[in-house]
Amino acid sequence: MPQLNPAPWFFILVLSWFIYLTIIHTKIMGHTFPNEPVVSADKLEPKPEPWNWPWH
């Protein structure tokens, strides 16, 4: 059974992780957002208190 031989598959696994960690990861982390997040005034207002419903 050739699929039990770990030699070629382990090399492919190590090579693919090496490519991911060196090339693809740096390209993904190099992206910047065009707008910085801003807290709007709506988020700063206190929330209204919940209604006190009778539970009977």
Side-chain angles (χ1 to χ4, degrees):
M1 295 182 158
Q3 68 268 23
L4 295 177
N5 184 5
W9 305 113
F10 183 72
F11 176 72
I12 292 171
L13 175 74
V14 170
L15 185 64
S16 62
W17 272 103
F18 177 74
I19 290 171
Y20 173 73
L21 291 176
T22 57
I23 299 171
I24 298 173
H25 183 69
T26 55
K27 286 183 177 280
I28 292 172
M29 295 305 289
H31 291 290
T32 58
F33 294 106
N35 299 334
E36 291 295 325
V38 177
V39 178
S40 63
D42 297 338
K43 304 289 184 199
L44 299 177
E45 295 178 4
K47 294 182 179 180
E49 294 185 17
W51 292 355
N52 294 323
W53 290 96
W55 291 99
H56 53 98

